């Protein structure tokens, strides 16, 4: 589950990055237009950097479309990850039962591990005895 949560966090971070990139694109490449009588476009001096790098309407719209598609794809990836998270379709009682079953499996595995360690120690003692017997002869 930790891996799924990491994927979800990474996807949300990527979505935020795409939002920022979209805002930057829109702010940086829009047309300079006045929308009301009190709006004015300031004249830039030759040594001032341009605040807006206007693109042709076709290029600007194509960029908007690509950014929108990226946002939609990223959102769909997030939805997919969320739909695959465990526990969404299980009740609290089902989850508690699953935890109990996993605890029992863990106890069994630990008992097997302890038995294997005990067996390993016995084999090491026997091996040590055999090696000592070989050295004496």
């Amino acid at each position: 589950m930790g891996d799924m949560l990491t994927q979800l966090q990474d996807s949300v971070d990527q979505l935020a990055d795409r939002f920022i990139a979209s805002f930057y694109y829109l702010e940086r490449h829009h047309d300079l237009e006045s929308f009301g009588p009190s709006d004015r476009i300031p004249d830039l001096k030759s040594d001032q950097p341009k605040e807006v790098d206007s693109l042709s309407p076709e290029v600007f719209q194509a960029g908007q479309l690509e950014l929108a598609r990226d946002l939609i794809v990223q959102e769909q990836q997030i939805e997919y990850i969320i739909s695959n998270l465990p526990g969404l379709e299980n009740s609290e009682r089902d989850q508690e039962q699953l935890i109990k079953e996993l605890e029992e499996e863990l106890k069994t595995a630990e008992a097997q591990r302890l038995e294997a360690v005990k067996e390993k120690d016995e084999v090491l003692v026997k091996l040590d005895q055999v090696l000592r017997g070989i050295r004496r002869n």
Side-chain angles (χ1 to χ4, degrees):
M1 184 162 131
D3 188 49
M4 293 289 285
L5 292 177
T6 301
Q7 289 178 8
L8 180 60
Q9 182 62 52
D10 290 345
S11 293
V12 170
D13 290 344
Q14 290 172 358
L15 181 64
D17 289 343
R18 285 189 168 92
F19 274 124
I20 291 169
S22 298
F23 287 133
Y24 178 79
Y25 179 84
L26 295 173
E27 188 235 349
R28 184 79 175 134
H29 298 293
H30 66 83
D31 285 337
L32 294 174
E33 292 184 19
S34 58
F35 295 104
S38 61
D39 292 343
R40 62 182 186 87
I41 300 172
D43 294 326
L44 294 177
K45 297 177 183 171
S46 60
D47 61 341
Q48 278 184 311
K50 290 174 118 182
E51 291 181 17
V52 175
D53 184 19
S54 298
L55 298 174
S56 69
E58 297 83 20
V59 172
F60 184 66
Q61 191 171 21
Q64 285 178 316
L65 183 61
E66 183 179 343
L67 289 168
R69 284 183 182 151
D70 286 346
L71 290 171
I72 291 169
V73 167
Q74 190 65 39
E75 185 275 332
Q76 288 173 342
Q77 287 176 347
I78 290 171
E79 288 292 325
Y80 177 76
I81 292 170
I82 289 172
S83 70
N84 286 322
L85 285 174
L88 292 178
E89 65 281 340
N90 298 330
S91 69
E92 185 176 343
R93 182 177 294 150
D94 292 340
Q95 290 179 20
E96 287 175 357
Q97 181 63 33
L98 179 61
I99 289 171
K100 287 179 184 176
E101 290 171 8
L102 290 173
E103 285 175 346
E104 289 300 318
E105 286 180 30
L106 184 60
K107 286 178 185 177
T108 304
E110 180 63 16
Q112 290 172 346
R113 186 190 73 80
L114 291 174
E115 183 64 32
V117 168
K118 182 180 174 184
E119 185 179 330
K120 176 198 71 145
D121 291 340
E122 291 172 358
V123 169
L124 283 176
V125 167
K126 288 179 184 178
L127 180 62
D128 187 49
Q129 290 173 351
V130 169
L131 291 174
R132 288 179 195 258
I134 293 175
R135 286 187 194 160
R136 291 185 188 147
N137 294 329

